[in-house]
Amino acid sequence: MRQVEIGRTGIKVGAVGLGCMSFGGIYGATDRAQSHAALKKALDLGVTHLDTALIYGDGLSEDIIGDFCAQNPAARDQFIIATKGGIVTKPERRFDNSEVYLRDALEGSLKRLKTDHVPLYYIHRRDASIPVEDVMATLVRFIEEGKIGAIGLSEVAPATLERASRIHPVAAVQSEYSLWSRLPELGMLQRCAALGTTFVSFSPVGRGMLTDIDLDPAQLPSGDFRRVNPRFMEPDFSANRERVMAFRALARDRGVTTSALAIAWTFAMAPSSIAIPGTRAAAHLAEDATAADIVLTPEDLAEIEAVLPVGWAYGPRYSYAQAFGVEDYC
């Protein structure tokens, strides 16, 4: 698979990575065996970057990855694992970027991943009560102690990235980026390029919408994140589905899957980026991985834009509760 460097670390990974949020049950009940099968398939495909977090199933996603690597020791050297901390979920959701909390969160993540080092550690959400410069100083100490290899930030504003980068290079920034979530084009992609920070697109297939699966929100499991997401609720869902049907036809005409075309579009817009579609289905991952080799021409991009023009999606990408903690900048 085509390789992409994470920041200026010298570490290269496949352009298509694997988002492991679903391993923690965010999109319905998880299955350890199915998740392990997806991880095995990832190795076969050259999908070497895994993205997880403490809050994905309250550590379950990390535990599943840790078990797989323990059972398959060679995987430890092949996978470049990123995890995240900074969100407290109990008794109520809040953010904590203090050194005491982040150190405890990181130690727990390392224990579940069954390792003493992760190549990339993200602040999952910024705690506005603590200057980002102080948070970076904490993360630099973790690097010096050998616990993490590089620093990442999630769902932050370009100004936050710029401030953080004055303290230490930020290897990666991840934000939702897809054909129906294009905010990063208004500053973040540009700042990442200028600062040598790799942009990581999460949910590049619109949380399953930009695929060949005909979703029915009424049939989603009770714990599925999308059941309370505005874009999957009526009347917005039906309007979105109608637009996506035209995009599916475009993908079909090109002989590729809808998800692969959607991911390939992110690479065309941000050539040095990494995409981390989330799945625990090996077959879906195999489809997604083909995106790394799809080259879109200016004519292709124009056709896609005609079908799904910027701002086409009905409904906000998050509910008010889901948007809590995401830094807005436009």
Side-chain angles (χ1 to χ4, degrees), residues 19 111 130 158 218 231 264:
K111 182 176 181 180
I130 302 175
R231 291 184 177 176

Side-chain angles (χ1 to χ4, degrees), residues 18 49 107 109 132 143 155 172 174 190 227 249 253 257 305 317:
L18 175 58
H49 184 43
E107 292 292 352
S109 292
V132 70
I143 291 176
E155 291 276 48
Q174 63 171 237
Q190 295 86 341
R227 288 188 70 92
D253 289 345
T257 65
E305 189 78 16
R317 73 182 180 103

Side-chain angles (χ1 to χ4, degrees), residues 268-329:
M269 301 299 285
S272 297
S273 66
I274 296 167
I276 49 170
T279 185
R280 57 177 179 264
H284 292 165
L285 181 59
E287 292 178 0
D288 295 344
T290 63
D293 299 318
I294 296 175
V295 178
L296 299 178
T297 66
E299 292 74 22
D300 292 329
L301 295 174
E303 285 194 61
I304 292 170
E305 189 78 16
V307 171
L308 298 181
V310 60
W312 67 270
Y314 285 74
R317 73 182 180 103
Y318 282 141
S319 67
Y320 178 79
Q322 291 166 343
F324 180 51
V326 175
E327 289 194 334
D328 197 7
Y329 50 93

Side-chain angles (χ1 to χ4, degrees), residues 6-77:
I6 298 178
R8 293 170 177 162
T9 63
I11 298 172
K12 292 187 176 182
V13 297
V16 177
L18 175 58
C20 301
M21 186 166 78
S22 66
F23 289 11
I26 307 300
Y27 292 107
T30 190
D31 183 293
R32 189 174 295 257
Q34 184 186 35
S35 298
H36 279 197
L39 292 171
K40 183 179 184 303
K41 189 66 173 179
L43 292 175
D44 295 340
L45 295 167
V47 174
T48 52
H49 184 43
L50 304 181
D51 183 272
T52 184
L54 183 158
I55 69 163
Y56 295 169
D58 196 21
L60 178 58
S61 175
E62 293 175 324
D63 184 61
I64 287 172
I65 294 169
D67 277 354
F68 181 84
C69 290
Q71 295 169 23
N72 302 271
R76 180 75 64 190
D77 295 327

Side-chain angles (χ1 to χ4, degrees), residues 178-200:
S178 71
L179 276 158
W180 78 350
S181 295
R182 295 179 63 170
L183 177 62
E185 293 173 15
L186 300 180
M188 183 54 79
L189 296 182
Q190 295 86 341
R191 295 316 299 148
C192 283
L195 294 167
T197 298
T198 297
F199 183 81
V200 179

